[in-house]
Structures are given as C-alpha cells and as structure tokens.
C-alpha cells in the first residue's frame, strides 16, 4: 500500500483543474483526443447557439469541423456510440464493456415483477423483431399503436420508452443520429463480436473508470470524482479505497477546501510553473470544468446556474449564458444565440464577474471580443450583434474587430 499526502495551494488546484481537462492550452489535436481525455462527451439537444457536445471540442480545438465528430458515429463498427456515462454521452465503442456493471444493474431492475419491461413484454419482443427485419430504425419509423405521445408534448410513447430502456440494458445500441433523432439497432447490427464478447470484471471496470475520472478532474473530492460517471459517493467509496491502496490516486489537502481531495498519480510530478493557461473561450454549460456547479464555485469562485428552465422575468444572466474562461479564471458569462436566418451571432447579454476591477474588465474585454469573432467564423455567420444588456456589453461593443 502506498500512502502519500500532497498539499496544494488554491492556485495550484485551479491550474491543475485546467490542465487536466485540456483547457490550459491547445493540448489536444483532434476530436478523438478530447473524447479520450474526457472518457465521454455529454450530449444535449438545446440548439439556441450550438448543441452542447460540439462546444467542449471548440473550446479545446478552436474552429474544428463538426463533421469530424459526426463521422465517428453511426454505421457498422463506429468509433463512437451513445451510452449513459455522464448523462447521455458519446463513448468509444471499445469502452462499452466498461459499463457492463451498469447494464447489469438496469437488467436486474427490468426483471422485477412490476417493471415496465414485464408489463410490456409483447411490445419489446415486437420491437426486436422489427429491427431484425428492417435494420436500424429511428423511433418514428416504428408503426405501432403504442407509438403515440402520452401526456404533455414531451411525453414519450411506450415505444420510445422501450427503446430508451433497452439501450440502458444493453439490449439495443444507439447507432448514430439523423437530424438529431437517435437511431436504434440490435448490438450485432453495429458492433463487432470482439466488443460484444469482451468481459471485464465489474470491480476492475469501476477502477478503470474512476481512475479516468480522477485524471479528468485533476484534483477532486469524492463527490467530484463520483459525478464524472453519475455515481454517488457511497457507490464509489470502496473503489476509491482500492485506488488509494494501489497508488493510482493520492490524498491531497487543498488550501481553503473543507473536504479531503484526491490527485491522480499522473500529476504528482507536475511542474506548476510550466502550466501557463493562455486560452480565452466560452464554455458549454456541460463542460467538465463547470458541469458540477459547487466545484466551479470552490475552484473558480464562479457561482453558475443555467437559466434555460428559469422563467424569463426571473433570469439574471440569460437563457443560454455561457461561462467564459480567460487564461486561468472564469471572468464572465455571455448569453449567445446563433440567428441563422439573419446570419448573425447575437450576444443577448454579457456580464463580467463583480470582483473584477475596472482595469481587469478593460483588459479582458479585448480578448473576449476577439474570441466572439472566432465563434462567429466557426458558426459560419456574417456578423456579431451585441445587445446593450449586462455590465460587459458596452466594453465588448467598444472592442469589436
């Protein structure tokens, strides 16, 4: 057993968090590099500015071609498939066996007497028969009386519910998308027998996943690490102990943190003087740097809430307000919208953090305005329109290129 306790300053923890998730500089060179670093890429359907799974890639790669991601999904033997990793996510197809313990958990729930699956056996059998006969299909292609929405407009039909639950249980594979509609397939229609027949002991798989989670966080509490793969602190307690005993992770005291944290072995010899963040970029609400709001507050003193589900009169920063990184600090939040009809990038509002000095606001507004021009080009829009809302809006407008 290796026992080692590390002490980090608050600044070192901040630098390590940026370095570990690839936001200190342009470390990664391809979409697959980023996804390998993350272990997954969270998917979200909101498209007011850009779908959330493209944004973490842009933040790290710059103006990449979105087709680079799309080409890795769909078809026979895809590089990426979808599974419930950190919420609905793209994962490497070869990593699916790492989630067999989660698949098994869902199957055990489905086997219970009063489960949805037991109440809809005939429908599920019919769905599988349709896929065998027709190949991969979207939910709308299933012609069945149970394929009608129930309740309010977002209510799923029993066909849709069955399809989604069968993915959780490994009975189906999400085989890409068409117009953002998920394509469903039997596993053998998509994946190789090598992947389907691969078996990883559940405890070993959990260790590998949590090792990656610790590496992605750079430095994190048990809650931070558990959140990466949507687990609870109770669920990962024994695995954390195993990783400590194996010397994969080590205990760390971070100045100002109330809880004990952990650092991955890969970062023990990190030269913090060589970590010099130089990026200015907007971040997805679902970026690994900020997806856990308490962690963003603890590390960056950045109190962030997405306001999509907040009634408009109660919104403070805007419908799709994006955290904005400048070097090693989260300095602003900018509400963006891509007005494709008028070919304009709309800055609905722009706010700098209240703790910034006037000098800092003046300094930071220039690279942020330059970055918005980069965003415009990536979105293939023709203009940037900054609305006069927020305490940073006038500064950004004054620094437009």
């Amino acid at each position: 057993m290796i026992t080692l306790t590390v002490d980090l300053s608050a600044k070192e923890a901040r630098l390590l968090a940026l370095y570990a998730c690839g936001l200190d500089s342009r470390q990664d060179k391809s979409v697959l590099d980023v996804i390998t670093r993350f272990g997954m890429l969270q998917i979200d359907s909101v498209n007011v500015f850009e779908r959330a799974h493209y944004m973490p890639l842009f933040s790290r790669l710059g103006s990449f071609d979105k087709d680079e991601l799309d080409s890795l999904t769909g078809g026979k033997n895809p590089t990426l498939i979808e599974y419930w990793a950190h919420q609905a996510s793209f994962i490497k197809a070869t990593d699916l066996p790492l989630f067999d313990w989660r698949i098994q958990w869902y199957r055990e729930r489905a086997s219970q007497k009063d489960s949805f699956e037991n109440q809809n056996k005939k429908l599920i059998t019919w769905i599988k028969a349709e896929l065998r006969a027709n190949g991969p299909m979207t939910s709308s292609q299933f012609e069945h009386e149970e394929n009608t929405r129930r309740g309010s407009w977002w209510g799923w039909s029993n066909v849709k519910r069955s399809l989604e639950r069968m993915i959780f249980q490994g009975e189906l594979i999400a085989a890409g998308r068409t117009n953002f509609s998920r394509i469903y397939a039997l596993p053998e229609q998509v994946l190789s027998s090598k992947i389907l027949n691969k078996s990883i002991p559940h405890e070993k798989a959990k260790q590998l996943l949590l090792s990656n989670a610790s590496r992605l966080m750079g430095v994190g509490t048990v809650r931070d690490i558990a959140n990466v793969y949507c687990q609870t602190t109770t669920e990962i307690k024994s695995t954390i102990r195993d990783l400590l005993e194996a010397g994969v992770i080590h205990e760390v005291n971070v100045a100002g943190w109330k809880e004990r944290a952990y650092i991955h072995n890969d970062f023990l010899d990190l030269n913090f003087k060589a970590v010099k963040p130089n990026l200015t970029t907007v971040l997805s609400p679902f970026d690994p740097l900020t997806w856990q709001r308490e962690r963003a507050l603890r590390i960056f003193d950045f109190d962030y809430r997405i306001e999509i589900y907040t009634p408009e009169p109660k919104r403070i920063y805007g419908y799709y307000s994006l955290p904005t990184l400048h070097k090693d600090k989260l300095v602003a939040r900018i509400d963006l919208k891509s007005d494709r009809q008028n070919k304009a990038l709309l800055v609905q509002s722009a706010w700098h953090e209240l703790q910034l000095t006037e000098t800092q606001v003046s300094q930071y507004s220039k690279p942020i305005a330059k970055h918005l021009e980069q965003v415009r080009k990536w979105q293939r829009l023709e203009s940037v329109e900054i609305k006069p809302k927020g305490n940073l809006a006038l500064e950004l407008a004054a620094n437009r290129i």
Side-chain angles (χ1 to χ4, degrees):
M1 177 177 176
I2 300 176
T3 57
L4 179 66
T5 301
V6 181
D7 293 310
L8 292 179
S9 68
K11 181 178 180 179
E12 287 172 334
R14 186 169 70 249
L15 292 175
L16 181 50
L18 291 165
Y19 178 83
C21 74
L23 280 172
D24 66 311
S25 62
R26 298 274 187 239
Q27 296 184 46
D28 299 314
K29 304 304 179 185
S30 71
V31 164
L32 206 53
D33 284 348
V34 178
I35 295 175
T36 299
R37 178 187 295 276
F38 288 4
M40 88 299 291
L41 182 64
Q42 185 177 348
I43 302 168
D44 192 79
S45 61
V46 176
N47 197 26
V48 62
F49 162 58
E50 180 55 89
R51 296 199 191 279
H53 44 286
Y54 294 114
M55 291 176 59
L57 302 172
F58 171 71
S59 297
R60 289 157 178 81
L61 302 173
S63 298
F64 79 105
D65 187 342
K66 291 188 291 184
D67 287 344
E68 185 181 349
L69 172 61
D70 300 339
S71 67
L72 297 174
T73 67
K76 180 70 173 177
N77 295 321
T79 301
L80 303 177
I81 59 172
E82 296 179 32
Y83 193 65
W84 194 263
H86 182 88
Q87 309 292 334
S89 305
F90 289 118
I91 64 169
K92 289 184 178 179
T94 52
D95 284 347
L96 183 62
L98 290 173
F99 294 93
D100 185 63
W101 56 273
R102 179 164 281 169
I103 290 172
Q104 187 62 38
W105 185 82
Y106 280 113
R107 286 182 177 179
E108 289 173 358
R109 293 185 69 188
S111 67
Q112 295 173 5
K113 185 177 180 180
D114 60 348
S115 69
F116 173 87
E117 287 75 12
N118 273 327
Q119 294 172 6
N120 292 273
K121 283 184 177 180
K122 289 184 178 180
L123 176 61
I124 290 170
T125 299
W126 178 83
I127 288 172
K128 290 181 179 179
E130 286 292 291
L131 289 170
R132 288 192 191 96
N134 303 320
M137 301 166 64
T138 64
S139 61
S140 63
Q141 291 176 310
F142 289 90
E143 297 181 1
H144 195 283
E145 61 183 6
E146 290 286 344
N147 200 8
T148 55
R149 289 186 181 274
R150 295 171 178 267
S152 51
W153 67 268
W154 62 83
W156 283 354
S157 70
N158 278 344
V159 168
K160 176 67 172 177
R161 289 181 66 190
S162 299
L163 291 166
E164 291 297 314
R165 296 170 78 98
M166 290 165 75
I167 286 179
F168 290 163
Q169 299 153 22
E171 299 292 333
L172 299 181
I173 296 293
R177 291 178 181 250
T178 177
N179 297 324
F180 207 68
S181 293
R182 184 173 282 154
I183 301 171
Y184 302 87
L186 298 169
E188 61 271 19
Q189 293 173 328
V190 175
L191 300 179
S192 68
S193 58
K194 182 178 180 180
I195 293 174
L196 294 176
N197 295 331
K198 185 174 183 179
S199 177
I200 302 175
H202 290 182
E203 287 307 313
K204 178 63 175 177
K206 292 177 181 179
Q207 289 175 17
L208 291 170
L209 289 173
L210 286 185
S211 174
N212 184 72
S214 173
R215 189 185 297 109
L216 176 61
M217 292 294 95
V219 57
T221 64
V222 173
R223 188 179 302 277
D224 296 337
I225 296 170
N227 178 260
V228 173
Y229 290 104
C230 290
Q231 295 174 270
T232 67
T233 56
T234 301
E235 284 179 301
I236 74 166
K237 187 176 180 180
S238 63
T239 309
I240 288 290
R241 184 174 60 248
D242 292 340
L243 293 176
L244 278 169
E245 291 179 350
V248 175
I249 62 174
H250 304 275
E251 293 183 345
V252 56
N253 297 313
V254 180
W257 289 25
K258 296 179 180 179
E259 296 181 52
R260 177 64 56 84
Y262 300 91
I263 184 174
H264 195 278
N265 192 60
D266 286 359
F267 302 129
L268 284 181
D269 297 323
L270 182 65
N271 179 6
F272 286 99
K273 292 182 179 179
V275 180
K276 297 180 179 179
N278 60 9
L279 298 180
T280 299
T281 182
V282 292
L283 301 175
S284 164
F286 311 111
D287 194 285
L289 192 72
T290 54
W291 64 23
Q292 191 170 344
R293 311 316 187 200
E294 185 274 332
R295 184 172 187 263
L297 180 62
R298 183 182 351 120
I299 297 179
F300 295 96
D301 193 24
F302 190 79
D303 190 5
Y304 177 65
R305 299 290 185 275
I306 189 169
E307 297 182 327
I308 289 175
Y309 305 110
T310 302
E312 196 281 332
K314 295 184 178 181
R315 290 180 196 142
I316 300 173
Y317 298 109
Y319 180 84
Y320 206 60
S321 184
L322 306 178
T324 304
L325 176 72
H326 176 63
K327 295 185 177 180
D328 69 332
K329 296 180 177 65
L330 292 172
V331 299
R333 51 197 88 200
I334 300 175
D335 185 16
L336 293 182
K337 178 178 180 178
S338 292
D339 182 354
R340 304 196 184 281
Q341 183 175 354
N342 296 305
K343 298 182 179 180
L345 177 67
L346 305 182
V347 180
Q348 308 278 59
S349 66
W351 305 82
H352 67 73
E353 294 302 281
L354 295 178
Q355 64 266 35
L356 299 186
T357 65
E358 289 186 11
T359 299
Q360 288 175 321
V361 172
S362 178
Q363 290 175 342
Y364 299 166
S365 61
K366 295 177 183 179
I368 293 174
K370 181 179 180 181
H371 177 64
L372 290 175
E373 187 65 17
Q374 296 168 342
V375 172
R376 176 194 69 77
K377 291 179 180 178
W378 178 54
Q379 289 288 290
R380 299 181 180 179
L381 301 171
E382 295 179 356
S383 64
V384 177
E385 298 180 11
I386 302 175
K387 297 184 179 182
K389 182 178 181 180
N391 59 13
L392 186 60
L394 293 180
E395 284 280 355
L396 288 183
N399 284 283
R400 287 178 61 183
I401 297 174

